[in-house]
Each structure stands twice: as structure tokens, then as C-alpha cells.
């Protein structure tokens, strides 16, 4: 597909008043991307001579999204309507023959649909070809007015509709092909005859029709594709449709998804066959998942790569990490910022791993923090192990060798090295290197006091005996009589309380 005589013009300068947002409309996100980004990506495979995005509101932010995709931008300031936006783009469009126009807030449109529209336009030698859709509820959209023979005569905007036009279910998608030598003269004749005092691109359609130029309309086979995002409700609906579309592709490729409505998968995510995805999983960014994996309920994976046969138990948060084949993580684990698990490494519940490499077969099954660490093959990290990687100013590394045993509740104060095959005794605070095959032990010695507990029980038993029912009544009586007496000015003597026994 190559369309050297075409430009794609994306209309993305508007504010999006109806969203009631500080963020420009086309920067709102649905289906894992900003609206304008989806539109540009749909246009890219057409290989036009240029993709020109009309920017205005938050122009720099919009440019920052589309320029890396290879689009160019033209600033429209102020925004005097969709017709005005095209006029502003005229110089940038230069000598192209055909413009494919797409609004920046209709992100569901597919490349295939754009290509079909262009084909219709070329074959029909048309001045304009409109992509339309038949909607159950056409409220808010411009209506397509056709003559008896079916020819399009005009587009009537919602605000200008009369009772008759309101009944029309065929709407304007705002996606068009224009033959530019016909469009420019028509745009020159536009007048802002509407409540917003704007130049409407839709009015060019009536003008072209009046001068007997061919105006064609093609009905989109899937009306959802043209949905715009003028309101938060429409944004949510578009997001829902995007998600459903991606899940359908993934399932088609051999992935099982239980309760698919609850699962979010971003557009660029790839998943291998026979992987099972449980409810309420989010797979985001550039995540890639191998074959035969299992992703437990409630887990969220962002920009993470999984090999084959990986098990993610429920409720794990994993970002920017790499997990090799047959690794297992969770439940309730947090892997982030460059955590790397080599084959068969296992991370269990309430373990956080940051910027660390766990070599083949490492196990860290319970309640640990492993940060800035390199851990050799087959090492066992006991429950509650902490790498103390931060001294309040800087981060420091921890190196743990192969087949090391770190006893439970050990604190490894970095920078520190534990040699291959070494042991660290439970409860140690390790501040110095432990050589290979050595034992590092750093904790207070245990003291045993024979009979101490029994003696304590005997003593507290005697005290308890004194607190009889009679004692209790007398205490209450005393308190009452004290509160009846008028307060004396002198400070009362402090009662000498008995020291509590240990
Ligand atoms: C527009 C169409 C309507 C169609 C609907 C489909 C017009 C007058 N109306 O209405 O017939 O049914 O789209 O979604 O065209 N924009 C600019 N510069 C401007 C004004 C708008 O770049 O001066 C951009 C907006 O950022 C937006 C797009 O053009 O991305 C469409 O504008 P919007 O205000 O959403 O038009 P609608 O009222 O939806
Ligand atoms: Ca719109």
C-alpha cells in the first residue's frame, strides 16, 4: 500500500469542552493509548506522502505524541472550526492530490476502512467521499441528507437539525477523502453561519454538491468504528470496544481468558498460545508473554517479558522486568525496575524485587526485599531477608554467590558480598563480607534462665488472689465518697504506686 498522491490530515486542535477536562481531548486515553496516537497509527500503513496533525490546544503535548510516529504538525490558533483547520493546513499539504481527513477523537477507525474509503473515492472520481455510519442513537453527530436517488446533498449539524433531520440515523464520521483541487475553492466560500461562528468542513459538502461535483458516501460496515469521544461516557464506551477488539485477537491466537470483560490488554501486548489469563488481569505497555503461562487473577504486568511456562500467582504487580522460562512469582509479589529472574527462579508471597538478578533456581519465597542485588544459581533466600541497599544518600549493591543459604530475618547491609556456598545464620545483620563456604553469624547470644517463667507465674498468682470481690466493692465505695467531697485547694498527695513487677 503506497499512496504518494495523498496526505492524511488529522484534526486535533480542539479543546474538547464537553469532556470538562484540563487535558486536551485528543490526549485522553482509551484502549491503552491516547486518542490521537490511535488515529495516527491507523493511518500509517497507508503510506501517504505525509501525515499532518492540526494542533492547537496543548499543541506541544500533542506534537510530542505524534511526531515520534513520523507525523508533522501544523498549529491552528485560534480554532475556528474544522473547515478553518483544513485551510490552516493548506500550505503544509502542498501539492498532494487527495486528502484523507480524520478527526483526532475517533480512534477506533481501522486502516482497512480508510483504504476502502480511498478506493471508493478514486474509483468514483469523486470530489468528496464521506465515511458514514448508521447509528441506533445518532445524537450529537452531523446527519447525512440524501436526495431521492441516494446522492448526498448536505450534512446537517446536530444544532441545526429540524424535526425531520433529527430522524436521520445515518451520520457523518468526519472521516473523508477530498480531491484537493475541488476542496480548496469550496473552502474559500465557507461562511460561519452557525451558533459557534465557526467554519464547518461539513458545509463544504453542500457547496460541492451544489456545483454538481460528485459527493459519495460509504457506510462503515461496523458503525462502532466511527465513534467519537466528545463526552466521558463516549470515552468509556470507546475504551470498552478497544479492549474487546484486542481480547478477540488474543483469544483467536490461542489464549484462554476467563471473564474476558474484566481483562485489559494494551494494543502492543503479545501473548503465546495456551497461556491462561484469569479474571481482572491487566497486561500493559509492551508486555510480551510466552506460551503456556498462567497469569493469576488481579495481577498487573507492565512492560514485562515472560518466557514460556511462567506462573504468576494472583495479585502480583510486575513492571519493567524479565522472567525466564518456568519461573514462578507470587501471590502478592512486587517486581519492578529491571528485576530479572532466570530459569526456574521462584519468588513467593510478599517479596519485592528491584533491579536485581536472581539466577537459575533461586528461591525467595517469603516476605523479603531484594534491591540492587545479584544472586547466584540455586541460592535460598530465607523469609524476611532484606538487602539494606540505601544508606540515606546512595544505593549500594549486594552480591550473593551460588548455592548460598541466607537464614530467615537477615539484614544484608550493602555494599556486601556473600561467597559461593556460604551460610548466613538466621537473624543476622551482615555488615562485612562472608567468604565462600563460611558461616556468617551476627546476632546477640541467647541467654536461658531456668525456672524463670514458673516463678513469675507463682508471683502473679499471689497478687491476683488479693483482688477479691470485697476489695473491688471497697474501691468503688471510696471513689464515690471522694467525688462527693468539695475539692480542696491543696494539691492532693500523690499516692505512692507500687512499681509494676516484671
Ligand atoms: C464533527 C462533525 C460532525 C460529525 C462528528 C463526528 C463538523 C462541523 N462536525 O462534529 O458532522 O458527525 O464530527 O465525530 O465538522 N478540531 C480542530 N479545529 C477546530 C475544531 C475542531 O482541529 O477548529 C478538531 C477537534 O480537535 C476534533 C475534530 O476536529 O478532534 C472534530 O471536532 P469536534 O468538535 O469533535 O466535532 P464534532 O462536534 O464531534
Ligand atoms: Ca467529535
Amino acid at each position: 500500500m503506497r499512496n504518494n498522491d495523498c496526505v492524511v490530515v488529522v484534526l486535533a486542535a480542539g479543546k474538547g469542552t464537553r469532556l470538562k477536562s484540563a487535558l486536551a481531548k485528543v490526549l485522553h486515553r482509551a484502549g491503552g493509548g491516547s486518542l490521537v496516537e490511535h488515529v495516527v497509527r491507523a493511518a500509517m500503513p497507508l503510506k501517504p506522502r505525509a501525515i499532518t496533525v492540526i494542533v492547537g490546544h496543548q499543541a506541544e503535548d500533542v506534537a510530542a505524541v505524534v511526531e515520534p510516529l513520523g507525523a508533522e504538525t501544523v498549529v491552528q490558533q485560534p480554532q475556528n472550526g474544522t473547515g478553518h483547520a483544513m485551510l490552516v493546513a493548506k500550505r503544509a499539504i502542498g501539492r498532494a492530490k487527495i486528502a484523507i481527513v480524520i478527526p483526532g477523537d475517533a480512534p477506533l477507525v481501522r486502516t482497512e476502512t480508510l483504504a476502502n474509503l480511498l478506493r471508493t473515492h478514486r474509483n468514483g472520481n469523486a470530489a468528496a467521499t464521506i465515511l458514514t455510519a448508521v447509528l441506533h442513537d445518532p445524537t450529537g453527530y452531523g446527519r447525512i441528507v440524501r436526495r431521492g436517488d441516494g446522492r448526498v446533498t448536505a450534512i446537517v449539524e446536530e444544532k441545526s437539525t429540524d424535526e425531520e433531520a433529527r430522524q436521520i440515523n445515518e451520520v457523518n464520521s468526519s472521516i473523508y477523502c477530498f480531491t484537493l483541487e475541488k476542496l480548496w475553492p469550496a473552502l474559500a466560500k465557507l461562511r460561519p453561519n452557525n451558533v459557534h461562528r465557526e467554519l464547518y468542513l461539513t458545509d463544504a459538502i453542500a457547496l460541492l454538491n451544489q456545483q454538481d461535483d460528485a459527493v459519495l458516501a460509504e457506510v462503515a460496515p461496523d458503525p462502532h468504528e466511527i465513534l467519537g469521544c466528545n463526552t466521558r461516557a463516549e470515552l468509556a464506551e470507546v475504551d470498552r470496544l478497544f479492549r474487546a477488539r484486542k481480547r478477540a485477537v488474543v483469544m483467536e491466537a490461542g489464549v484462554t481468558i476467563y471473564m474476558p470483560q474484566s481483562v485489559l490488554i494494551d494494543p502492543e501486548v503479545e501473548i503465546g498460545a495456551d497461556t491462561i489469563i484469569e479474571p481482572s488481569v491487566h497486561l500493559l505497555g509492551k508486555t510480551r508473554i510466552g506460551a503456556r503461562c498462567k497469569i493469576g487473577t488481579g495481577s498487573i504486568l507492565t512492560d514485562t517479558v515472560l518466557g514460556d511456562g511462567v506462573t504468576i500467582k494472583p495479585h502480583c504487580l510486575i513492571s519493567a522486568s524479565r522472567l525466564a522460562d518456568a519461573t514462578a512469582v507470587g501471590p502478592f509479589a512486587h517486581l519492578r525496575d529491571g528485576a530479572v529472574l532466570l530459569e526456574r527462579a521462584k519468588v513467593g508471597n510478599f517479596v519485592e524485587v528491584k533491579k536485581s538478578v536472581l539466577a537459575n533456581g533461586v528461591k525467595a519465597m517469603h516476605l523479603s526485599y531484594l534491591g540492587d542485588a545479584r544472586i547466584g544459581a540455586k541460592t535460598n533466600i530465607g523469609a524476611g531477608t532484606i538487602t539494606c541497599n540505601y544508606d540515606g544518600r546512595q544505593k549500594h549493591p549486594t552480591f550473593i554467590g551460588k548455592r548460598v543459604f541466607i537464614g530467615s530475618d537477615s539484614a544484608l547491609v550493602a555494599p556486601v558480598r556473600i561467597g559461593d556456598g556460604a551460610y548466613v545464620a538466621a537473624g543476622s545483620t551482615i555488615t562485612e563480607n562472608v567468604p565462600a563456604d563460611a558461616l556468617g553469624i551476627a546476632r546477640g547470644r541467647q541467654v536461658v534462665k531456668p525456672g524463670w517463667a514458673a516463678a513469675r507465674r507463682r508471683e502473679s498468682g499471689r497478687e491476683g488472689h488479693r483482688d477479691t470481690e470485697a476489695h473491688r466493692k471497697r474501691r468503688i465505695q471510696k471513689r464515690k465518697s471522694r467525688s462527693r467531697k468539695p475539692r480542696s485547694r491543696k494539691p492532693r498527695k500523690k499516692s505512692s504506686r507500687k512499681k509494676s513487677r516484671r
Side-chain angles (χ1 to χ4, degrees), residues 11-14 18 25-26 76 79-82 85 103-105 141-142 155 157 172-174 200 202 230:
L11 307 176
R18 288 161 281 183
K25 171 159 66 177
V26 297
Q76 182 198 15
Q79 295 83 37
N80 286 335
T82 46
D105 67 340
Y141 290 89
I155 298 173
E157 288 306 302
N172 171 27
S173 68
S174 252
Y200 283 174
T202 46
N230 295 320

Side-chain angles (χ1 to χ4, degrees), residues 279-283 295-301 312-317:
S280 300
V281 165
H282 297 186
L283 304 173
I295 316 294
T297 190
S299 293
I300 302 177
L301 277 60
I312 308 293
K313 292 183 187 161
H315 302 290
C316 292
L317 185 60

Side-chain angles (χ1 to χ4, degrees), residues 9-16 22-29 34-41 51-77 79 102-105:
V9 180
V10 179
L11 307 176
K15 180 167 186 280
L23 188 67
K25 171 159 66 177
V26 297
L27 293 176
H28 279 261
R29 294 175 73 82
S34 62
L35 303 182
V36 70
E37 180 185 337
H38 286 297
V39 172
V40 171
R41 281 187 195 281
I51 297 178
T52 305
V53 182
I54 314 296
V55 296
H57 271 279
Q58 294 169 3
E60 281 174 24
D61 297 333
V62 178
V65 170
V66 300
E67 281 173 358
L69 298 173
E72 55 182 48
T73 54
V74 171
V75 178
Q76 182 198 15
Q77 201 66 269
Q79 295 83 37
I102 319 173
D105 67 340

